[in-house]
Amino acid sequence: MSQIHTLEALQKTLRLTPSEMAWHEDSSTVPLAITDHFLSLIDPDDPCDPLRAQVVPTAMENSSRSWENIDPLAEVAHSINPRLVHRYANRVAFLVTDVCPMYCRHCFRRRFTGSLQGPASEDEINQSADYVGEHPEIREILLTGGDMLTLSNNAVEHLIGAFRSRRPDLMIRLCTRYLASDPSRIDCDLINVLRKFNTAPIFIMTQFNHPRELCPESLRAIALFADAGFPLFNQSVLLHGVNDDPEVLAKLCENLLAARVKPYYLFQGDLVSGTSHFRVPLERGIDIFRKLSQLVSGLALPVYAIDLPNGMGKVNIGTSDPVLDEDHSRWTLKTPDGHVVSYPAE
Ligand SMILES: *Cc1c(COP(=O)(O)O)cnc(C)c1O
Ligand code: SF4
């Protein structure tokens, strides 16, 4: 696999716009990396291409809004160690690595992604696996990052083995964007490694945001998992200029379902520094989702959810009774455990 890392190199393939050329890396941005595979799917003649918008940075990332911050989900406050986030009683997230083969400009884990820490150390893996071993109430682990498939197959086997040796019953969600960013990573060798861990399910959690990402190579990678018995779920982010259109989302969700990937979440963009240009105001999001639900079957319909600021957790927007304040500047929502939370309307 090869990637593009600089604006100069990108300029040879795409004619960059002034805003794209004015981008610079700072504390509110993630690094620049685009895989050759994803670049090949971009229409170079369309400066508004929805795939381009996801991976080519613009100067808008260099400005933040007052209500945004670098860790809006307060993951650090809910961490057992730098890699293990325990926010819900029965499931944990393990940050395998901060590295991705391609960085999404809307990435919500900016406090961590691309921060050059690399994969979790042997100590961090063992300490986290011990913790999960000592807490039988934990039923699921999300292996996430970064993108854990930047690890070699040997390292993937070692990592999963560390957790499963303590907890053969532990269900695993393997979170990866490789099926969109570089589907050639998914091959029989990887499948054979994962098949060894057959004492409990491994779910493959993908991120496709636009129907054009579902190219023949991605469909082949999906089929490898599905044929081997690994259920697949997709988590999309609602993104202005990418998929903020009921027809586009309907095509994405229907094509995912036809490929045996269940659309699981459609996330409202988190309040992360430098991402306001991607955020769809909640009022429009609710309208788009209502139209989407009229277009697709129940199986193809994801849950429209917000991961609330300050680590309040995910809420289903459909069941959280959002109410717009009188001055139309904030929404008030209820979490499943009864907390009342305020969310900006812009
Ligand atoms: C999203 C998330 C989960 C999983 O939540 P589900 O609603 O079960 O998909 C678990 N832990 C953390 C820290 C999360 O951010
Ligand atoms: S693949 Fe995930 S972790 Fe990596 S940049 Fe994209 S959203 Fe962030």
Side-chain angles (χ1 to χ4, degrees):
M1 175 199 61
S2 54
Q3 302 140 303
I4 279 192
H5 289 283
T6 64
L7 289 175
E8 294 73 54
L10 200 53
Q11 180 76 288
K12 297 203 175 88
T13 317
L14 306 177
R15 199 154 11 94
L16 297 181
T17 66
S19 176
E20 288 168 345
M21 289 208 291
W23 172 81
H24 58 274
E25 203 169 333
D26 68 21
S27 61
S28 64
T29 69
V30 288
L32 170 60
I34 305 174
T35 57
D36 284 352
H37 169 78
F38 207 81
L39 193 58
S40 75
L41 300 177
I42 295 176
D43 173 0
D45 297 322
D46 179 4
C48 300
D49 183 285
L51 275 58
R52 176 179 184 142
Q54 291 181 62
V55 296
V56 178
T58 68
M60 285 178 293
E61 278 180 41
N62 297 115
S63 66
S64 289
R65 312 301 298 264
S66 61
W67 53 79
E68 294 175 341
N69 74 61
I70 202 82
D71 180 20
L73 309 183
E75 287 194 329
V76 171
H78 289 81
S79 292
I80 303 304
N81 66 45
R83 300 292 180 145
L84 193 67
V85 186
H86 195 179
R87 181 141 62 98
Y88 302 103
N90 60 359
R91 50 211 194 276
V92 290
F94 184 70
L95 308 183
V96 175
T97 177
D98 62 302
V99 181
C100 297
M102 169 176 96
Y103 292 99
C104 312
R105 307 325 303 177
H106 53 271
C107 181
F108 73 96
R109 202 169 269 135
R110 269 173 154 59
R111 64 165 181 92
F112 179 72
T113 308
S115 58
L116 303 178
Q117 299 174 64
S121 68
E122 194 58 30
D123 275 355
E124 287 167 330
I125 294 173
N126 285 326
Q127 194 196 3
S128 303
D130 286 344
Y131 180 86
V132 172
E134 289 153 11
H135 289 83
E137 73 276 15
I138 296 171
R139 303 287 319 279
E140 287 177 33
I141 188 167
L142 288 69
L143 299 178
T144 181
D147 199 316
M148 68 165 284
L149 292 186
T150 51
L151 268 56
S152 69
N153 287 347
N154 280 341
V156 168
E157 181 166 358
H158 176 73
L159 176 78
I160 297 179
F163 287 98
R164 277 287 178 77
S165 65
R166 276 93 160 175
R167 288 285 306 278
D169 63 317
L170 185 68
M171 288 184 275
I172 292 175
R173 295 193 211 174
L174 193 163
C175 309
T176 178
R177 209 184 175 193
Y178 262 96
L179 290 91
S181 59
D182 183 25
S184 67
R185 170 72 182 88
I186 316 303
D187 60 11
C188 294
D189 291 343
L190 175 67
I191 301 287
N192 287 336
V193 165
L194 299 179
R195 285 180 96 130
K196 294 182 188 170
F197 298 99
N198 60 3
T199 55
I202 297 180
F203 302 103
I204 309 301
M205 312 301 291
T206 64
Q207 183 192 159
F208 290 99
N209 294 317
H210 189 278
R212 272 195 15 238
E213 292 166 50
L214 282 167
C215 63
E217 294 87 350
S218 295
L219 294 171
R220 180 205 59 90
I222 291 169
L224 274 181
F225 280 122
D227 289 346
F230 296 100
L232 297 109
F233 295 85
N234 188 65
Q235 306 191 153
S236 298
V237 188
L238 181 61
L239 296 168
H240 174 70
V242 174
N243 59 13
D244 55 339
D245 173 335
E247 305 276 345
V248 169
L249 285 173
K251 193 165 178 201
L252 172 67
C253 292
E254 280 167 351
N255 292 355
L256 282 166
L257 189 65
R260 293 177 283 176
V261 184
K262 160 77 184 125
Y264 174 47
Y265 274 133
L266 173 66
F267 282 120
Q268 172 72 5
D270 290 327
L271 303 175
V272 192
S273 310
T275 61
S276 61
H277 54 295
F278 282 123
R279 220 166 299 122
V280 178
L282 192 55
E283 190 161 23
R284 251 197 92 221
I286 291 171
D287 185 54
I288 290 169
F289 186 73
R290 194 176 43 78
K291 290 182 174 138
L292 174 66
S293 60
Q294 288 160 356
L295 290 172
V296 301
S297 77
L299 266 187
L301 187 68
V303 168
Y304 180 34
I306 305 192
D307 214 340
L308 286 170
N310 307 317
M312 300 294 286
K314 294 182 183 69
V315 299
N316 178 336
I317 296 173
T319 59
S320 63
D321 299 328
V323 178
L324 192 56
D325 290 1
E326 266 172 26
D327 67 356
H328 288 224
S329 70
R330 316 270 316 169
W331 288 87
T332 303
L333 311 109
K334 274 201 277 319
T335 70
D337 51 3
H339 289 101
V340 174
V341 179
S342 169
Y343 184 89
E346 198 177 306

CSV table of all heavy atoms in Angstrom, one decimal, residues 164-184:
chain,number,residue,atom,x,y,z
A,164,ARG,N,-8.4,-12.7,25.0
A,164,ARG,CA,-9.1,-13.9,25.0
A,164,ARG,C,-8.5,-15.0,25.9
A,164,ARG,O,-9.3,-15.9,26.4
A,164,ARG,CB,-9.2,-14.5,23.5
A,164,ARG,CG,-10.4,-13.8,22.7
A,164,ARG,CD,-11.7,-14.3,23.2
A,164,ARG,NE,-12.8,-13.7,22.5
A,164,ARG,CZ,-13.2,-14.0,21.2
A,164,ARG,NH1,-12.6,-14.9,20.5
A,164,ARG,NH2,-14.2,-13.3,20.7
A,165,SER,N,-7.2,-15.0,26.2
A,165,SER,CA,-6.7,-16.0,27.1
A,165,SER,C,-7.2,-15.7,28.5
A,165,SER,O,-7.4,-16.7,29.2
A,165,SER,CB,-5.1,-15.9,27.1
A,165,SER,OG,-4.7,-14.7,27.6
A,166,ARG,N,-7.5,-14.5,28.9
A,166,ARG,CA,-8.2,-14.2,30.2
A,166,ARG,C,-9.7,-14.4,30.1
A,166,ARG,O,-10.3,-14.7,31.1
A,166,ARG,CB,-7.9,-12.8,30.6
A,166,ARG,CG,-6.6,-12.5,31.4
A,166,ARG,CD,-5.5,-12.1,30.4
A,166,ARG,NE,-4.4,-11.5,31.0
A,166,ARG,CZ,-3.3,-11.1,30.3
A,166,ARG,NH1,-3.2,-11.4,29.0
A,166,ARG,NH2,-2.3,-10.5,30.9
A,167,ARG,N,-10.2,-14.1,28.9
A,167,ARG,CA,-11.7,-14.1,28.8
A,167,ARG,C,-12.2,-14.7,27.5
A,167,ARG,O,-12.5,-14.0,26.5
A,167,ARG,CB,-12.2,-12.6,28.9
A,167,ARG,CG,-12.1,-12.0,30.3
A,167,ARG,CD,-13.2,-12.5,31.3
A,167,ARG,NE,-14.5,-12.3,30.7
A,167,ARG,CZ,-15.2,-11.2,30.7
A,167,ARG,NH1,-14.7,-10.1,31.3
A,167,ARG,NH2,-16.4,-11.1,30.1
A,168,PRO,N,-12.2,-16.0,27.4
A,168,PRO,CA,-12.6,-16.7,26.2
A,168,PRO,C,-14.0,-16.3,25.7
A,168,PRO,O,-14.4,-16.4,24.6
A,168,PRO,CB,-12.6,-18.2,26.5
A,168,PRO,CG,-11.8,-18.3,27.8
A,168,PRO,CD,-11.9,-17.0,28.5
A,169,ASP,N,-14.8,-15.8,26.7
A,169,ASP,CA,-16.2,-15.4,26.4
A,169,ASP,C,-16.4,-13.9,25.9
A,169,ASP,O,-17.5,-13.5,25.6
A,169,ASP,CB,-17.1,-15.5,27.6
A,169,ASP,CG,-16.6,-14.6,28.7
A,169,ASP,OD1,-15.4,-14.5,28.9
A,169,ASP,OD2,-17.4,-14.0,29.4
A,170,LEU,N,-15.2,-13.2,25.9
A,170,LEU,CA,-15.3,-11.8,25.6
A,170,LEU,C,-15.7,-11.5,24.1
A,170,LEU,O,-15.0,-11.9,23.2
A,170,LEU,CB,-14.0,-11.1,25.9
A,170,LEU,CG,-13.9,-9.6,25.9
A,170,LEU,CD1,-14.7,-8.9,26.9
A,170,LEU,CD2,-12.4,-9.1,26.0
A,171,MET,N,-16.8,-10.8,23.9
A,171,MET,CA,-17.1,-10.4,22.5
A,171,MET,C,-16.3,-9.3,22.1
A,171,MET,O,-16.0,-8.4,22.8
A,171,MET,CB,-18.6,-10.1,22.4
A,171,MET,CG,-19.5,-11.3,22.6
A,171,MET,SD,-21.2,-11.0,22.3
A,171,MET,CE,-21.6,-10.5,24.0
A,172,ILE,N,-15.8,-9.3,20.8
A,172,ILE,CA,-14.9,-8.3,20.3
A,172,ILE,C,-15.6,-7.6,19.1
A,172,ILE,O,-16.2,-8.2,18.3
A,172,ILE,CB,-13.6,-9.0,19.8
A,172,ILE,CG1,-12.9,-9.6,21.0
A,172,ILE,CG2,-12.7,-8.0,19.0
A,172,ILE,CD1,-11.6,-10.4,20.6
A,173,ARG,N,-15.4,-6.2,19.2
A,173,ARG,CA,-15.8,-5.4,18.0
A,173,ARG,C,-14.4,-4.9,17.4
A,173,ARG,O,-13.7,-4.2,18.1
A,173,ARG,CB,-16.6,-4.2,18.4
A,173,ARG,CG,-17.9,-4.5,18.9
A,173,ARG,CD,-18.8,-3.2,19.0
A,173,ARG,NE,-19.7,-3.2,20.0
A,173,ARG,CZ,-20.5,-2.2,20.4
A,173,ARG,NH1,-20.4,-1.1,19.7
A,173,ARG,NH2,-21.3,-2.3,21.3
A,174,LEU,N,-14.1,-5.4,16.2
A,174,LEU,CA,-12.9,-5.0,15.5
A,174,LEU,C,-13.3,-3.8,14.7
A,174,LEU,O,-14.0,-3.9,13.7
A,174,LEU,CB,-12.4,-6.2,14.7
A,174,LEU,CG,-11.0,-6.1,14.2
A,174,LEU,CD1,-10.5,-7.5,13.8
A,174,LEU,CD2,-10.9,-5.1,13.0
A,175,CYS,N,-12.9,-2.6,15.1
A,175,CYS,CA,-13.2,-1.4,14.4
A,175,CYS,C,-12.2,-1.0,13.4
A,175,CYS,O,-11.0,-0.8,13.8
A,175,CYS,CB,-13.4,-0.2,15.4
A,175,CYS,SG,-14.5,-0.7,16.8
A,176,THR,N,-12.5,-0.9,12.1
A,176,THR,CA,-11.5,-0.6,11.1
A,176,THR,C,-12.1,0.2,10.0
A,176,THR,O,-13.3,-0.1,9.6
A,176,THR,CB,-10.8,-1.8,10.6
A,176,THR,OG1,-9.9,-1.4,9.6
A,176,THR,CG2,-11.8,-2.8,10.0
A,177,ARG,N,-11.3,1.1,9.4
A,177,ARG,CA,-11.8,1.8,8.2
A,177,ARG,C,-11.1,1.2,6.9
A,177,ARG,O,-11.3,1.7,5.8
A,177,ARG,CB,-11.6,3.3,8.3
A,177,ARG,CG,-12.7,4.0,7.4
A,177,ARG,CD,-12.7,5.4,7.3
A,177,ARG,NE,-13.7,5.7,6.3
A,177,ARG,CZ,-13.9,6.9,5.7
A,177,ARG,NH1,-13.1,7.9,5.9
A,177,ARG,NH2,-14.9,7.0,4.8
A,178,TYR,N,-10.3,0.1,7.1
A,178,TYR,CA,-9.5,-0.4,6.0
A,178,TYR,C,-10.4,-0.9,4.9
A,178,TYR,O,-10.0,-0.8,3.7
A,178,TYR,CB,-8.7,-1.6,6.4
A,178,TYR,CG,-7.2,-1.2,6.7
A,178,TYR,CD1,-6.8,-0.9,8.0
A,178,TYR,CD2,-6.3,-1.1,5.6
A,178,TYR,CE1,-5.5,-0.5,8.2
A,178,TYR,CE2,-5.0,-0.7,5.8
A,178,TYR,CZ,-4.6,-0.4,7.1
A,178,TYR,OH,-3.3,0.0,7.3
A,179,LEU,N,-11.7,-1.3,5.1
A,179,LEU,CA,-12.5,-1.8,4.0
A,179,LEU,C,-12.8,-0.6,3.1
A,179,LEU,O,-13.1,-0.9,1.9
A,179,LEU,CB,-13.8,-2.4,4.6
A,179,LEU,CG,-13.6,-3.7,5.3
A,179,LEU,CD1,-13.4,-3.5,6.8
A,179,LEU,CD2,-14.8,-4.7,5.0
A,180,ALA,N,-12.7,0.6,3.5
A,180,ALA,CA,-12.9,1.8,2.7
A,180,ALA,C,-11.5,2.4,2.2
A,180,ALA,O,-11.4,2.8,1.1
A,180,ALA,CB,-13.7,2.8,3.3
A,181,SER,N,-10.6,2.4,3.2
A,181,SER,CA,-9.3,3.1,2.9
A,181,SER,C,-8.3,2.3,2.1
A,181,SER,O,-7.6,2.8,1.2
A,181,SER,CB,-8.7,3.6,4.2
A,181,SER,OG,-8.4,2.5,5.0
A,182,ASP,N,-8.3,1.0,2.4
A,182,ASP,CA,-7.3,0.1,1.6
A,182,ASP,C,-7.8,-1.3,1.7
A,182,ASP,O,-7.2,-2.1,2.5
A,182,ASP,CB,-5.9,0.3,2.1
A,182,ASP,CG,-5.0,-0.6,1.3
A,182,ASP,OD1,-5.2,-0.9,0.1
A,182,ASP,OD2,-3.9,-1.0,1.9
A,183,PRO,N,-8.8,-1.7,1.0
A,183,PRO,CA,-9.5,-3.0,1.2
A,183,PRO,C,-8.5,-4.2,0.9
A,183,PRO,O,-8.8,-5.3,1.3
A,183,PRO,CB,-10.7,-3.0,0.2
A,183,PRO,CG,-10.5,-1.8,-0.7
A,183,PRO,CD,-9.6,-0.8,0.0
A,184,SER,N,-7.4,-3.9,0.2
A,184,SER,CA,-6.5,-5.0,-0.1
A,184,SER,C,-5.8,-5.6,1.2
A,184,SER,O,-5.3,-6.7,1.2
A,184,SER,CB,-5.4,-4.6,-1.1
A,184,SER,OG,-4.5,-3.6,-0.5
